[in-house]
Amino acid sequence: MSKIIHTLQEFASNSGDLPALRGDNNAFSYSDMLAAVHTLADELTTLGIERVGLAADNGPEWIIVDLACQLANVPLIPLPGFFTPQQMRHAVESSGVDALLSDRDGFASTCATLFGARLSGGAVTFASLTSISAFRLCPLLDSVLLPDNTAKITYTSGSTGHPKGVCLSVAAQYATASALNDALKETPLHRHLAVLPLATLLENVAGVYSALLRGAEVVLPGLANLGWAGSSGLDIQALASTLTATTPDSAVLLPQILKGLICARESGKWPAPTSLKFLAVGGARVAPDLIERGRQLGLPVYEGYGLSECGSVVSVNRPGADKPGSAGKILPHCAVTIVAAEVLVSGNTYQGYLQHDIGAPSFTEVSTGDLGELDEDGFLWLRGRSKNLLVNSYGRNISPEWPESELSALPSILQVMVIGDAQAFCSALIYPAPGASKSDISHDIALCNTNLPDYAQIRRWAALPNALSVADGLLTANGRLRRNEILTHYASLVDDCYSDVLNPETNEITMQCLSVVSANTARTDMAEE
């Protein structure tokens, strides 16, 4: 039996009446939850289902399906809502899914369109579920082999149309959740709000599993009630209202969500609930100034670091072990070494990539591609991505995450990507914060430049016409920049940043329709709002 199920059953036997899961329209105590999990596991076994693809809204039944698959030894494949139809078909076929579970309207039609003759009969209902139904698929002629002990396949956003499937064991997920709980044992956390889609491993493991294993209540509003508009954006005010109404102790955020909450707090539109004790922020590097702004406003924000291949979390800052600007102290279930400036992680790793590593030896170490260093207290300090490294025309190396983290903390900037590979200077593609004028942005960048060496300062910037999003393929599910795609999509803006660089009469950088800023001045040739 899985360690997660075993621990939950022990807890339910002693404190089964405590609330476990609460959704928009239903709630489960620990005893009720385990009863539903056992019933569904029996149903999966009776139906002969071998691999489950789950495409459903956030809610208690998502977690019941997840835990029932563990109990029935059926690998679970969460299908993110941001997947295109082609990506969904790839995920289903590459993992050998034979049953798709969903609560989405029109999902039967979606299945018919994507899988045609493989769709076997109509929807199958379950006695243990009220909103989720199953759609059976005829098995593929060639069976899909999985690495040993695969319990969950989480798909990275990938850099192409075919995301990679990371195969994880129950033990790896349990180790992550348990290590987080051990690190936070002095912080009373009794109610967790699931803010991210449950198909996101960070929420599923670090958020929900950790909360359940410590006997906390998990609040699971539907994504629309949280403010998620499909996969293209988040209504921060709706999320802020949900935080106020549910009074959680903990939540997991992405940096962009944190910035939105800070703006709502600073504008006076949101009185943050005093119940909050731990807001974990991950998915991308967070500027220390942003952490400080949040804390001054009463938001207990702590940066962490991890990756899917290691069960989602490797290090985290927390009360009593906190160094703002770092990615936190390494959790004891993992070991981190630095080789040639790259972060290598061992101790809690994945089973392999789907369809790539069958029969390969155990994966005992992960090359993260992240640059960093460890201090004497065991805190990890990240310095950027090795593959994202910009090398300017003077041969200086620049990790763009460094100036980006500084720029993203500025009140006038909502999103930013720094560019400048093989160029004489750095520029930035910027999506402005609501109400920010061009002069506001130029002024803020000029102030930021005073904290950067000359080769990393932003000399030009161009305004993005639309926010970067998962829906347009320019962000990953965790909010990371998909740099190559952005460079391709906005190639004309990039070219503009470096066209007619030198004025032949003055030998100075010219502006055209872009703001030019330095450490001491901020000026613009654009009309001001």
Side-chain angles (χ1 to χ4, degrees):
M1 181 182 295
S2 91
K3 290 183 176 180
I4 294 172
I5 296 293
H6 179 72
T7 303
L8 293 178
Q9 289 190 162
E10 285 190 336
F11 186 84
S13 67
N14 297 318
S15 306
D17 292 335
L18 288 178
L21 307 174
R22 174 156 57 96
D24 293 326
N25 303 305
N26 53 359
F28 295 79
S29 68
Y30 274 83
S31 293
D32 293 338
M33 177 182 71
L34 266 297
V37 166
H38 276 271
T39 299
L40 181 57
D42 290 341
E43 291 177 295
L44 295 175
T45 301
T46 299
L47 290 169
I49 292 174
E50 296 185 2
R51 291 173 198 172
V52 165
L54 180 57
D57 195 4
N58 278 22
E61 291 193 352
W62 201 105
I63 303 302
I64 288 170
V65 172
D66 185 353
L67 297 176
C69 286
Q70 288 186 27
L71 185 61
N73 292 316
V74 173
L76 176 69
I77 298 88
L79 298 169
F82 64 81
F83 268 9
T84 65
Q86 294 76 17
Q87 288 176 321
M88 179 178 285
R89 181 167 54 236
H90 167 74
V92 169
E93 293 181 349
S94 64
S95 59
V97 164
D98 62 343
L100 286 164
L101 274 61
S102 182
D103 58 1
R104 297 177 186 170
D105 292 337
F107 195 72
S109 176
T110 299
C111 291
T113 300
L114 291 178
F115 305 109
R118 285 194 62 209
L119 190 61
S120 176
V124 177
T125 59
F126 299 102
S128 51
L129 303 175
T130 59
S131 62
I132 292 179
S133 301
F135 301 86
R136 300 298 302 272
L137 298 177
C138 297
L140 295 171
L141 292 178
D142 298 323
S143 61
V144 177
L145 297 177
L146 302 182
D148 290 343
N149 300 317
T150 296
K152 183 174 291 173
I153 302 173
T154 184
Y155 280 87
T156 65
S157 54
S159 58
T160 69
H162 296 302
K164 291 190 295 186
V166 179
C167 299
L168 293 168
S169 66
V170 170
Q173 297 172 78
Y174 175 82
T176 299
S178 297
L180 278 169
N181 282 343
D182 289 343
L184 294 166
K185 61 185 177 182
E186 302 300 325
T187 305
L189 302 175
H190 304 297
R191 180 178 295 143
H192 175 79
L193 175 65
V195 169
L196 307 181
L198 289 171
T200 305
L201 193 69
L202 184 62
E203 183 65 77
N204 184 207
V205 174
V208 174
Y209 284 179
S210 292
L212 292 176
L213 290 176
R214 63 176 175 262
E217 179 186 24
V218 180
V219 183
L220 296 151
L223 294 174
N225 289 336
L226 285 166
W228 289 101
S231 59
S232 60
L234 179 66
D235 182 340
I236 287 294
Q237 196 57 50
L239 174 59
S241 297
T242 300
L243 281 161
T244 299
T246 56
T247 61
D249 300 311
S250 64
V252 178
L253 309 177
L254 303 178
Q256 194 62 37
I257 298 175
L258 171 61
K259 184 161 188 178
L261 291 174
I262 287 173
C263 290
R265 188 81 177 88
E266 288 176 334
S267 69
K269 295 179 180 179
W270 177 50
T274 57
S275 62
L276 292 173
K277 299 180 180 68
F278 183 74
L279 293 174
V281 187
R285 188 168 180 262
V286 188
D289 286 351
L290 195 63
I291 297 288
E292 181 59 28
R293 279 172 64 194
R295 291 183 180 180
Q296 288 179 353
L297 294 167
L299 300 177
V301 289
Y302 296 88
E303 183 177 1
Y305 166 77
L307 58 160
S308 296
E309 288 84 348
C310 298
S312 83
V313 181
V314 171
S315 64
V316 68
N317 286 289
R318 64 265 197 189
D322 177 42
K323 291 187 180 183
S326 78
K329 193 168 186 176
I330 305 302
L331 293 171
H333 72 308
C334 287
V336 168
T337 55
I338 309 296
V339 177
E342 183 183 5
V343 178
L344 306 181
V345 183
S346 58
N348 191 59
T349 54
Y350 65 137
Q351 305 303 107
Y353 290 119
L354 189 63
Q355 292 191 328
H356 293 285
D357 303 308
I358 306 302
S362 299
F363 290 80
T364 57
E365 189 172 66
V366 176
S367 299
T368 67
D370 292 311
L371 304 175
E373 57 191 56
L374 286 169
D375 67 19
E376 67 243 9
D377 297 318
F379 283 77
L380 177 62
W381 298 80
L382 296 176
R383 306 305 184 195
R385 292 279 296 170
S386 58
K387 67 179 181 180
N388 293 336
L389 200 66
L390 303 178
V391 182
N392 69 16
S393 57
Y394 295 99
R396 298 303 301 264
N397 295 338
I398 307 157
S399 290
E401 293 89 350
W402 168 30
E404 283 167 359
S405 68
E406 301 295 328
L407 293 165
S408 65
L410 300 173
S412 62
I413 296 175
L414 201 59
Q415 294 175 318
V416 59
M417 187 175 97
V418 170
I419 58 177
D421 192 49
Q423 302 290 346
F425 57 88
C426 289
S427 298
L429 304 180
I430 289 171
Y431 186 71
S437 69
K438 297 179 179 70
S439 59
D440 291 336
I441 297 172
S442 293
H443 177 266
D444 284 352
I445 293 176
L447 292 178
C448 180
N449 279 344
T450 63
N451 296 319
L452 296 169
D454 58 356
Y455 62 88
Q457 290 177 4
I458 307 304
R459 302 297 182 181
R460 284 186 169 187
W461 67 272
L464 294 169
N466 301 296
L468 305 173
S469 72
V470 175
D472 59 20
L474 303 182
L475 292 181
T476 71
N478 284 346
R480 292 179 186 268
L481 301 171
R482 299 184 69 180
R483 296 178 186 275
N484 290 337
E485 287 76 5
I486 294 170
L487 289 173
T488 299
H489 192 78
Y490 289 113
S492 61
L493 284 183
V494 174
D495 289 343
D496 286 345
C497 285
Y498 297 101
S499 63
D500 298 327
V501 168
L502 293 181
N503 183 317
E505 296 181 0
T506 64
N507 202 37
E508 294 178 351
I509 295 173
T510 60
M511 293 182 296
Q512 294 187 344
C513 297
L514 300 160
S515 290
V516 180
V517 293
S518 70
N520 299 313
T521 63
R523 60 192 181 91
T524 177
D525 281 351
M526 297 182 289
E528 302 299 335
E529 285 85 343

